[in-house]
Amino acid sequence: MRTTEDSTKRTGAPALVIEGLDVHYGQAHVLQSVSLALDAGVLAVVGRNGMGKTTLCRAITGMAPATGSIRFRGHELRGLAPDEITRLGVAYVPQGRRVWRSLTVDEHLQLASRTARRGAWTVARVYDAFPRLAERRRNGGAQLSGGEQQMLAIGRALLFNPSLLVMDEPTEGLAPVIVEHVATLLKALADEGSISILLIEQNLGVALEVAERVAVMVNGRVAHTVSSQALAADSALQQRLLGLQAGAAAHGEATEAPVDAAASAALTTAQVVLRVRRAADDDFDVARSAPATQGLPEPVADARPAPPIDRASTLAPAGPAVHLLDLAGAQAELQCVQQQLSKAGRRCVLAPVPMAMAQGQAADTLRAQLRARDDLAGLLVLAGPGDEALARAVVEGLPMALPKFVVGVRGGDPQPTAQAFTARTLPGAFNRVSQAVLSQVAASLAALVAQQAPAATGRPVVCITTADLGDGVARQLVRTLEPAHECLLLRMDAAGERSLPGLIDSGLLAGVIDLAPLDVARTALAPPPARPDAGGDRFTRLARTGLPYLSAGLALDLLHYASEAAMPSALHGRAAGRNGEGEVFLPLDTAEAERVAAHHAAQLNGLVGPVRLLLPAVGGQALRRLGLYQDAAPAQLALHRTLARQFRATPTHRLQETGLAFDDPRFADSLGRAWREIATAPVSTPHDPRQRSRARDALQA
């Protein structure tokens, strides 16, 4: 933790002085008389989403019109163009990284260095500070991980050799090891004394570790400025300043800005066509779908007050409800949605938003809160700029069949997800186009909630995961099962891995036949800080639902990556096979195979529904199909022996070594017989409290 003593040795004019700063987006007063001072060192600005932190950055860097005064080293910045501000010595690391997909890492840095101020920071020094960038210097922006993109954004800004570095949530969405690296770099920059830092940060732990003082923003105002030491030592102060309940001020310490009556008006009937898109529809454009100049009536305030929104609590639910999750602090948008849902006869519950948490922890908390609600009939998420990743993490952790909408407000742009509808309002103030979009979204959600079909009474649906290696087995298995089952083939690419957990939780499946557990080896061998959760999450949900699970044991001895760019650098140079789509498969050695087998046995032992694990004969057929001709027998034998030793056999859990090659038609027949055995076992619904309790006890054991 840093102290104010760290900055007392520095001299000269204050790095940044802001006085009476006001910013408006249309009629919305986003920043209200903001005053801040940064003499030197690091000043962190924290607060809820939608409180004006990003707008503050944009005003400082000349990208948002403002009134008031912004002085940098005695120079007035207000009214200057962004490039003029940059030349004075102010660099900006924007939220969302903003790297070019088509440019390589080196091209990004070389481009910045051509126009940058000369100083201590050069391309070579950036590579020294971020060795990972040096390794990836020939990779394009689209091929970088989120952490690598953030390193590139920071390095690009440092090449301008700034005196003031403005950083908008630099640790958002990063793995803990990358967060620690960024925090260490920021402290080193501050200790050098040549760069002052204005740090916008949601992660309170990072803000307290790096900054000397912390300013808390509430509703466009600086509500409090305190030393990081005082804030870290006073949990009550943290709760009072940052622990606001969703939609209401905490203990009266801060109040929401008043909302204009017109902003909360209900949209009257009009001939308007608004298209709500799936996130996969890249051509969505609100302006094209509903021009603001055609067909939109003037806002008319609804004379009837909207019923109050229920607060999520542990009280007994009062029937099915649509839960509203306001990540953006968008009160006008929230009220508009609630009015429309109330008109459609839908009860609304406002989900509490956890404050002062890292993004991953917040997503886990929100998912747990929503899953615990037996009245959850639909979900609508309002996501502002920077909330998109959190919104996606929340909706992908909920049942696939649950109606879900994510709406980007105030410039937010929801990320693609296969499990939710998305829409986007225009950036800036709440306006008639935004009102029309939100009204249409609310009407669509209400209709989906009303039309949720009861459980199907026809043939049961079984999900069969597949990939190139198991396509032949999958086709034969479908022919075997189709007279009695509907077969859903799910290709286990990146989208399939994300979709499977929600599909398991949807209540629509009778079970899962896993012909392509490609993520199991990758999950088992990943280092703990960066361990992916796709496989673990899948088996956790199988345990919770009690669904029958049949695994063919294919590809357990292979590491799979969607492309060579997705591979960790430590694996480059190993023998690898590739299919026609550029996917990479790396055979395991004996020690790795034993680790994977132990990990998978533990996953299977934790399931409470019936389980069958059928192992094909040891052989190199899979490797030969991928262009690899090495001896696969030692690793496969180690895999099978470890599975047989650590798999816990019970009357409902059985492992069988078939002695058949995976491409032998008799192997598919064996899978069909095994499925018919376990499919007859009774399965509780995913929302049966007794089943959830049983699964939880098994996982704890």
Side-chain angles (χ1 to χ4, degrees):
M1 183 181 305
R2 303 184 62 78
T3 68
T4 54
E5 294 177 1
D6 296 326
S7 63
T8 57
K9 300 176 183 179
R10 308 181 185 108
T11 61
L16 182 68
V17 177
I18 299 174
E19 294 179 336
L21 187 66
D22 288 86
V23 175
H24 292 78
Y25 290 144
Q27 295 182 349
H29 197 175
V30 181
L31 294 185
Q32 305 172 30
S33 299
V34 170
S35 295
L36 282 174
L38 169 59
D39 292 332
V42 184
L43 170 65
V45 179
V46 300
R48 287 184 56 185
N49 286 325
M51 295 297 102
K53 303 187 300 297
T54 295
T55 299
L56 176 63
C57 295
R58 291 173 57 83
I60 294 170
T61 54
M63 291 186 283
T67 59
S69 176
I70 308 171
R71 294 192 303 279
F72 162 67
R73 302 293 184 196
H75 298 277
E76 180 61 51
L77 300 184
R78 191 179 64 80
L80 298 182
D83 61 307
E84 295 175 307
I85 294 174
T86 300
R87 282 195 292 270
L88 285 174
V90 179
Y92 182 32
V93 180
Q95 187 178 38
R97 294 121 195 183
R98 305 288 179 88
V99 300
W100 284 286
R101 297 172 58 86
S102 59
L103 295 186
T104 66
V105 169
D106 200 58
E107 287 169 340
H108 275 88
L109 299 180
Q110 295 296 341
L111 183 63
S113 66
R114 290 179 185 177
T115 56
R117 302 195 318 163
R118 296 295 178 261
W121 282 95
T122 62
V123 173
R125 186 179 177 188
V126 169
Y127 283 141
D128 287 340
F130 298 106
R132 182 61 175 162
L133 290 184
E135 297 173 7
R136 307 278 275 167
R137 62 189 303 162
R138 302 304 179 196
N139 290 90
Q143 298 174 312
L144 304 179
S145 68
E148 291 164 347
Q149 290 181 352
Q150 190 64 67
M151 294 177 193
L152 179 56
I154 296 173
R156 180 179 57 189
L158 290 174
L159 283 176
F160 288 89
N161 288 285
S163 298
L164 173 64
L165 187 60
V166 180
M167 310 184 75
D168 194 355
E169 301 198 17
T171 66
E172 178 190 10
L174 302 186
V177 64
I178 305 298
V179 171
E180 183 61 32
H181 183 74
V182 171
T184 301
L185 174 68
L186 296 184
K187 288 187 288 186
L189 290 174
D191 289 339
E192 286 181 5
S194 60
I195 300 178
S196 299
I197 301 172
L198 180 68
L199 176 66
I200 309 299
E201 186 54 73
Q202 284 269 359
N203 188 327
L204 184 60
V206 172
L208 294 176
E209 179 183 0
V210 172
E212 299 153 2
R213 292 185 304 127
V214 179
V216 182
M217 289 196 70
V218 177
N219 293 325
R221 299 183 179 93
V222 175
H224 204 78
T225 301
V226 63
S227 71
S228 58
Q229 284 182 315
L231 186 57
D234 194 339
S235 58
L237 182 61
Q238 294 179 29
Q239 176 64 27
R240 180 164 62 86
L241 294 177
L242 297 169
L244 300 178
Q245 295 296 317
H251 309 297
E253 293 296 330
T255 58
E256 297 287 348
V259 179
D260 185 73
S264 61
L267 186 67
T268 58
T269 304
Q271 297 298 319
V272 180
V273 178
L274 292 172
R275 179 159 65 91
V276 176
R277 66 166 174 116
R278 285 279 190 182
D281 300 335
D282 293 331
D283 61 341
F284 176 73
D285 188 328
V286 172
R288 291 203 308 268
S289 301
T293 58
Q294 180 178 351
L296 292 175
E298 291 294 330
V300 178
D302 195 339
R304 298 169 298 171
I309 303 177
D310 292 345
R311 304 290 165 185
S313 68
T314 57
L315 300 177
V322 174
H323 285 240
L324 307 178
L325 181 57
D326 180 17
L327 301 177
Q331 185 172 352
E333 290 86 345
L334 183 69
Q335 188 172 353
C336 175
V337 168
Q338 188 262 338
Q339 285 179 335
Q340 297 301 317
L341 289 170
S342 297
K343 289 178 181 178
R346 292 291 146 204
R347 186 171 71 89
C348 299
V349 172
L350 185 60
V353 179
M355 298 309 304
M357 284 186 180
Q359 188 178 83
Q361 185 182 3
D364 292 341
T365 300
L366 288 168
R367 284 194 299 263
Q369 290 173 350
L370 291 167
R371 286 174 185 164
R373 298 288 298 191
D374 292 329
D375 61 344
L376 180 62
L379 176 68
L380 190 146
V381 183
L382 298 178
D387 301 324
E388 297 90 342
L390 176 57
R392 175 175 178 164
V394 171
V395 300
E396 289 191 344
L398 297 174
M400 181 175 286
L402 178 75
K404 301 180 284 287
F405 277 83
V406 180
V407 183
V409 298
R410 300 181 181 178
D413 189 9
Q415 298 182 1
T417 171
Q419 299 189 28
F421 294 96
T422 61
R424 187 170 69 243
T425 67
L426 293 177
F430 184 75
N431 49 59
R432 289 182 293 159
V433 175
S434 299
Q435 192 175 36
V437 173
L438 291 166
S439 298
Q440 190 78 351
V441 167
S444 300
L445 179 56
L448 287 172
V449 171
Q451 295 174 12
Q452 287 190 82
T457 57
R459 293 178 297 163
V461 180
V462 58
C463 177
I464 303 175
T465 69
T466 184
D468 281 352
L469 295 177
D471 276 349
V473 181
R475 288 193 295 269
Q476 184 175 345
L477 188 58
V478 168
R479 289 194 294 269
T480 301
L481 298 179
E482 269 194 337
H485 295 80
E486 290 186 50
C487 297
L488 170 63
L489 291 177
L490 182 65
R491 181 171 178 79
M492 289 305 286
D493 52 15
E497 289 182 14
R498 290 196 303 267
S499 300
L500 182 57
L503 190 59
I504 292 170
D505 242 359
S506 69
L508 302 176
L509 297 182
V512 175
I513 300 178
D514 214 347
L515 300 183
L518 298 176
D519 53 334
V520 170
R522 192 172 63 247
T523 304
L525 299 178
R531 176 170 299 211
D533 64 0
D537 193 42
R538 177 207 311 186
F539 288 98
T540 299
R541 297 187 194 207
L542 282 166
R544 184 167 62 243
T545 59
L547 287 176
Y549 177 74
L550 169 62
S551 174
L554 300 181
L556 289 174
D557 60 333
L558 294 173
L559 267 173
H560 166 260
Y561 293 94
S563 66
E564 189 168 348
M567 291 172 52
S569 59
L571 299 179
H572 289 191
R574 282 182 54 162
R578 292 165 179 80
N579 62 11
E581 298 182 8
E583 295 176 301
V584 184
F585 298 84
L586 291 79
L588 305 182
D589 60 30
T590 301
E592 291 171 334
E594 290 175 345
R595 287 173 57 192
V596 170
H599 175 76
H600 193 43
Q603 290 174 323
L604 298 179
N605 292 339
L607 303 186
V608 296
V611 174
R612 294 291 185 275
L613 175 58
L614 270 63
L615 298 178
V618 172
Q621 304 98 319
L623 297 185
R624 286 194 291 273
R625 287 191 179 188
L626 296 168
L628 294 168
Y629 297 93
Q630 65 189 68
D631 185 8
Q636 291 183 357
L637 284 171
L639 181 86
H640 289 193
R641 289 169 181 166
T642 305
L643 279 171
R645 185 171 63 251
Q646 300 204 20
F647 179 83
R648 191 164 56 243
T650 70
T652 60
H653 286 51
R654 297 178 189 170
L655 180 150
Q656 177 185 349
E657 296 195 53
T658 64
L660 300 170
F662 80 87
D663 51 0
D664 188 324
R666 293 175 296 171
F667 184 68
D669 292 338
S670 299
L671 291 171
R673 288 192 298 271
W675 171 253
R676 283 188 285 271
E677 287 179 12
I678 63 177
T680 56
V683 180
S684 300
T685 64
H687 302 294
D688 184 340
R690 292 170 297 179
Q691 184 66 42
R692 289 204 303 263
S693 175
R694 186 165 145 235
R696 185 167 54 249
D697 293 343
L699 288 172
Q700 290 174 348

